[in-house]
Amino acid sequence: MLLRSIPGLLLLALISFSAHQRTDCAKILAIFPFPGPSQYICVQAYLKALAGRGHEVTVVSAYPQKKPLPNFRDISLEEVLNGYEETIVDVITQERNKWQELNLYYDFFTGGTLSVLKSANVQKLLQSDEHFDLVIVEALQMDAVYAFAHHYKAPIIGISTYGTDPTIDELVGNTSPISYIPLPLSELSDRMSFWQRLENLWHHLLHQLHMHFIYLPNQVAIYKEYFPNGTADILALRKSFSLVLLNQHFSISFPRPYVPNAIEVAGMHISQKPNQLPAVMEGFINASKAGAIFFSLGSNVKSKNLSKEKIDIILRVFASLPYNVLWKFEATDLPNKPQNVYIDKWFPQSDVLAHPNVKLFISHAGLLSTTEAIHHAKPLVGMPVFFDQFLNMKRIKHAGIGVSVNYKSFTYDELRGAILEVLNQPKYTQNIQQMSQLYHDRPMKPLDKAIFWTEYVLRHEGAAHMRVAAQGLNFIQYHSLDTIAVFIVGVVLAVILPVWAIYGIVSGMVMRDSGGAKLKHS
Ligand SMILES: *[C@@H]1O[C@H](CO)[C@@H](O)[C@H](O)[C@H]1NC(C)=O
Ligand SMILES: *[C@@H]1O[C@H](CO)[C@@H](O)[C@H](O)[C@H]1NC(C)=O
Ligand SMILES: *[C@@H]1O[C@H](CO)[C@@H](O)[C@H](O)[C@H]1NC(C)=O
């Protein structure tokens, strides 16, 4: 018995050996300065997994670990959280045109860049003789921060918490044809009408203008200020990424082309094995015979800051339902809270959604939440508030896995109707179960994939062989403008000139003939 299984064991050992080639432990510097909690949630499991595999990970972020972790060192940027809540309220309540929107992101990215470079602890790190083998950054327009890779002569990996866009494309020479790839913050889909394609082109041009005339000159100036002796070419750095990891997957968005070093890893933040829920929470979910509902507006929008009228409507709707509701509510007291509502300021969201008795997720439709809903096959009632949430909501509706409620103006009947629609019509659950199957059907779990390609870059010292040659071409060469111009001139010379010449000869003969005729007449 044992003897017979030995070849099998050997084979297994061989397979796992080739799947996990040894990578020397590396020193990794990860920089995630943005104050939005979901941006850090997106990468935390990945950074911890790298530390778990023996790499020494140093993380610059606003969210240092509460308990020390082996191989994991935090450099805290907690100061970026000051004023963040007010910024979010301003973003939600102010109307902006496209250019003002670009300016808003510009302020945000400039703030993120400066918070890293101004940090005393980061400066201490830069002045020390500590070395890093790899730099990982959030790929969000912080070019002066990309200079860390130049400083340490290390390869650089970008992580995008949404997917790709023309800015992220540039890092690896990816291409997003504007005819069928909408900008992520527009609400367009991959199938656009003529006018929508025109809109996409217009937004794309605005984006490029803002990037090259406002954003990049500013980043170059920041770089010169904080690296006075630096010799990095910022404009070249943004074309020399080894890898970008994209929090996206075609099963939840749409199919599109990628270069070999742009890798989809949506869902890498979700643990494959749900954790045990706290007993009180699970008891409350179990106690609801008809099933339970989970309601969360995410980490940016605070439920406690909803207007009194809205809270009142929500509570009346929940009280009228035969379901227990768990609500992420950030204050401890909620007057008139009905018996069937359970509040807490934090929930292990993915573990709650994993519970079989949870039947519906009322969500702000952020990308991480939407991905978790699809992961656990729970249909949605969406209440998008800002940024990409409207786009996600559009996709949710299009896929038939949920319905939306207007966050600004919902009424009792609208909210109650939406909840009952999704719970009483089996099609929403069936659709999301089907989508969930497609999402899970991959050769490799997303976190394993992210780790594999990260270590691949380490093993092959930046993996320059994966970079497309586009990175060495200028705008004219990349778009073949030079060759097209020569080609057109060639066509003109080869076809039009002879025609013109023949025409000239023929008309010359005609002129002579008619001239002769005239002569005869006179
Ligand atoms: C830049 O170089 C000068 C002269 O070599 C040196 O005195 C100065 O300390 C350097 N500055 C930094 C920030 O490294
Ligand atoms: C909830 O129900 C599940 C399955 O029905 C059971 O395994 C679990 O122990 C229950 N938990 C509590 C806290 O009642
Ligand atoms: C949200 O509500 C709390 C009180 O619960 C208040 O202290 C805080 O200022 C409010 N935040 C905003 C941004 O309105």
Side-chain angles (χ1 to χ4, degrees):
M1 196 51 205
L2 184 68
L3 270 179
R4 235 189 281 163
S5 60
I6 282 179
L9 282 177
L10 269 176
L11 190 67
L12 204 71
L14 264 176
I15 289 171
S16 51
F17 177 73
S18 59
H20 284 285
Q21 281 192 45
R22 218 178 77 79
T23 306
D24 293 334
C25 289
K27 289 197 67 168
I28 298 174
L29 176 63
I31 306 175
F32 289 88
F34 289 102
S38 57
Q39 274 151 321
Y40 194 62
I41 293 170
C42 185
V43 295
Q44 182 167 235
Y46 163 75
L47 297 175
K48 283 186 181 173
L50 286 171
R53 289 177 63 81
H55 302 296
E56 275 178 58
V57 182
T58 300
V59 183
V60 179
S61 87
Y63 299 95
Q65 296 299 313
K66 302 226 162 59
K67 281 189 235 142
L69 266 177
N71 295 340
F72 201 98
R73 172 175 58 160
D74 276 302
I75 293 182
S76 171
L77 274 187
E78 275 166 297
E79 62 270 20
V80 301
L81 296 177
N82 297 336
Y84 179 64
E85 256 187 51
E86 288 72 20
T87 309
I88 292 298
V89 171
D90 179 63
V91 169
I92 295 170
T93 50
Q94 298 290 318
E95 293 285 335
R96 288 178 172 80
N97 65 30
K98 205 73 201 164
W99 192 257
Q100 289 165 330
E101 212 175 88
L102 288 168
N103 279 331
L104 173 78
Y105 303 140
Y106 166 85
D107 290 341
F108 213 60
F109 298 141
T110 307
T113 309
L114 288 174
S115 69
V116 175
L117 294 170
K118 279 188 176 151
S119 155
N121 290 330
V122 172
Q123 282 302 328
K124 217 156 76 190
L125 189 71
L126 273 174
Q127 306 303 330
S128 75
D129 49 15
E130 199 168 338
H131 178 75
F132 291 97
D133 307 305
L134 175 67
V135 174
I136 302 175
V137 294
E138 181 159 8
L140 259 190
Q141 306 190 23
M142 299 187 296
D143 294 64
V145 168
Y146 303 165
F148 280 74
H150 183 262
H151 182 83
Y152 293 115
K153 312 225 169 339
I156 183 165
I157 291 179
I159 300 193
S160 154
T161 52
Y162 48 104
T164 189
D165 69 11
T167 320
I168 294 165
D169 281 344
E170 278 192 35
L171 307 176
V172 288
N174 199 41
T175 140
S176 298
I178 52 177
S179 52
Y180 70 100
I181 314 274
L183 286 178
L185 288 180
S186 69
E187 286 171 53
L188 301 170
S189 80
D190 56 337
R191 279 153 221 269
M192 292 177 264
S193 68
F194 174 82
W195 295 110
Q196 288 172 328
R197 284 189 291 119
L198 193 61
E199 179 188 334
N200 201 41
L201 171 67
W202 172 234
H203 288 170
H204 189 84
L205 290 176
L206 283 180
H207 199 279
Q208 293 297 325
L209 276 177
H210 199 279
M211 164 76 61
H212 289 278
F213 291 102
I214 297 179
Y215 167 75
L216 278 174
N218 180 51
Q219 286 285 325
V220 171
I222 294 176
Y223 172 70
K224 286 197 175 130
E225 183 181 347
Y226 286 90
F227 293 86
N229 297 343
T231 54
D233 175 356
I234 293 286
L235 301 182
L237 265 176
R238 70 198 315 267
K239 288 184 152 205
S240 63
F241 274 54
S242 290
L243 182 72
V244 289
L245 298 174
L246 309 164
N247 181 37
Q248 195 52 272
H249 189 254
F250 59 80
S251 65
I252 61 176
S253 58
F254 50 79
R256 49 148 304 136
Y258 290 115
V259 293
N261 52 347
I263 308 280
E264 288 188 325
V265 293
M268 73 168 173
H269 73 287
I270 304 173
S271 161
Q272 292 299 319
K273 229 178 108 239
N275 294 305
Q276 181 73 41
L277 290 173
V280 185
M281 212 180 270
E282 195 182 16
F284 187 78
I285 295 174
N286 278 3
S288 191
K289 281 216 181 59
I293 297 173
F294 179 53
F295 175 31
S296 167
L297 289 176
S299 44
N300 284 320
V301 178
K302 303 274 184 266
S303 287
K304 68 172 183 191
N305 288 104
L306 290 172
S307 69
K308 236 176 109 43
E309 296 75 45
K310 275 186 187 149
I311 290 182
D312 182 54
I313 292 175
I314 292 169
L315 287 179
R316 281 195 294 128
V317 168
F318 288 169
S320 78
L321 297 171
Y323 303 91
N324 278 359
V325 183
L326 299 97
W327 184 0
K328 179 182 165 288
F329 191 86
E330 303 79 9
T332 42
D333 76 312
L334 176 56
N336 306 324
K337 182 175 76 62
Q339 279 298 312
N340 69 331
V341 174
Y342 175 106
I343 57 168
D344 206 331
K345 52 179 183 299
W346 184 82
F347 283 90
Q349 176 165 302
S350 180
D351 301 332
V352 171
L353 292 174
H355 195 289
N357 206 34
V358 171
K359 303 292 184 204
L360 172 70
F361 183 18
I362 309 175
S363 167
H364 65 309
L367 186 54
L368 296 189
S369 292
T370 306
T371 310
E372 285 170 24
I374 294 166
H375 188 106
H376 299 296
K378 298 297 154 79
L380 294 137
V381 167
M383 248 190 229
V385 183
F386 65 179
F387 288 141
D388 63 336
Q389 295 160 11
F390 295 98
L391 173 65
N392 301 333
M393 190 66 235
K394 248 195 149 143
R395 292 196 184 140
I396 289 167
K397 281 203 275 196
H398 182 74
I401 61 173
V403 300
S404 69
V405 162
N406 190 322
Y407 165 80
K408 286 200 169 135
S409 67
F410 67 85
T411 63
Y412 175 90
D413 289 331
E414 280 163 5
L415 180 59
R416 189 164 191 278
I419 292 172
L420 292 179
E421 160 81 11
V422 177
L423 283 168
N424 293 341
Q425 302 283 336
K427 66 176 181 195
Y428 296 101
T429 304
Q430 284 160 5
N431 288 342
I432 202 163
Q433 279 168 348
Q434 222 166 36
M435 194 169 187
S436 188
Q437 267 177 18
L438 295 177
Y439 159 91
H440 282 291
D441 195 352
R442 311 188 211 182
M444 215 171 176
K445 299 282 178 233
L447 182 58
D448 294 340
K449 193 174 174 189
I451 298 289
F452 174 87
W453 286 107
T454 304
E455 293 190 338
Y456 185 92
V457 165
L458 282 168
R459 278 199 295 278
H460 303 290
E461 284 151 23
H465 63 281
M466 269 209 293
R467 290 183 220 169
V468 292
Q471 299 305 73
L473 303 179
N474 62 32
F475 183 88
I476 290 174
Q477 293 166 327
Y478 180 82
H479 293 281
S480 301
L481 299 182
D482 48 356
T483 49
I484 290 172
V486 168
F487 188 79
I488 290 175
V489 171
V491 167
V492 167
L493 293 177
V495 177
I496 301 183
L497 273 188
V499 170
W500 192 39
I502 290 167
Y503 175 78
I505 292 163
V506 170
S507 60
M509 279 159 58
V510 170
M511 280 252 290
R512 259 209 313 277
D513 281 2
S514 60
K518 252 190 206 150
L519 271 177
K520 264 183 216 160
H521 271 282
S522 64

